[in-house]
Amino acid sequence: MKLLIAIINSDDAHKVTDEITKAGFYATKLSTTGGFLRAGNLTLLMGVDDEKVDELLELLRKNCSKREEITPVIPAYDTGVMNAIPVKITVGGATVFVLDVDQFHKM
């Protein structure tokens, strides 16, 4: 058995959870916040049998889209003037950790 921890952009959250539920997977959802953009994320904790890991990863890959956004960034140096510089960044997609599970108990 594996524990998958998937960190997903909030924009993809509903689509992803709908698709994994349709496929028969279960997940515990946690609302989280990213560090760089301080944007909302969804973190899913999913216990999965070893033979189903690839299927779940493919579902995540298909339903977590990367896209480019323009975001204002304030320079770190202090000039006395606070001008935000627009920067193009890539957001979305998923970060997934796959961990071995030594024991699993459902009580």
Side-chain angles (χ1 to χ4, degrees), residues 16-54:
V16 169
T17 54
D18 287 347
E19 291 301 317
I20 64 173
T21 301
K22 284 180 194 174
F25 293 102
Y26 299 97
T28 297
K29 301 187 294 186
L30 305 171
S31 294
T32 53
T33 304
F36 176 64
L37 296 175
R38 294 181 180 88
N41 294 319
L42 174 68
T43 299
L44 298 173
L45 305 176
M46 297 167 283
V48 183
D49 291 327
D50 290 352
E51 61 272 5
K52 295 279 194 171
V53 170
D54 290 336

Side-chain angles (χ1 to χ4, degrees), residues 56-99:
L56 181 54
L57 288 173
E58 187 59 28
L59 278 171
L60 292 170
R61 191 174 290 111
K62 286 182 180 177
N63 293 287
C64 297
S65 59
K66 287 186 180 180
R67 55 205 162 270
E68 289 187 343
E69 289 183 1
I70 304 290
T71 187
V73 175
I74 298 173
Y77 51 86
D78 184 17
T79 61
V81 179
M82 296 299 257
N83 288 331
I85 300 168
V87 176
K88 187 185 297 186
I89 58 166
T90 301
V91 297
T95 301
V96 182
F97 300 91
V98 180
L99 307 165

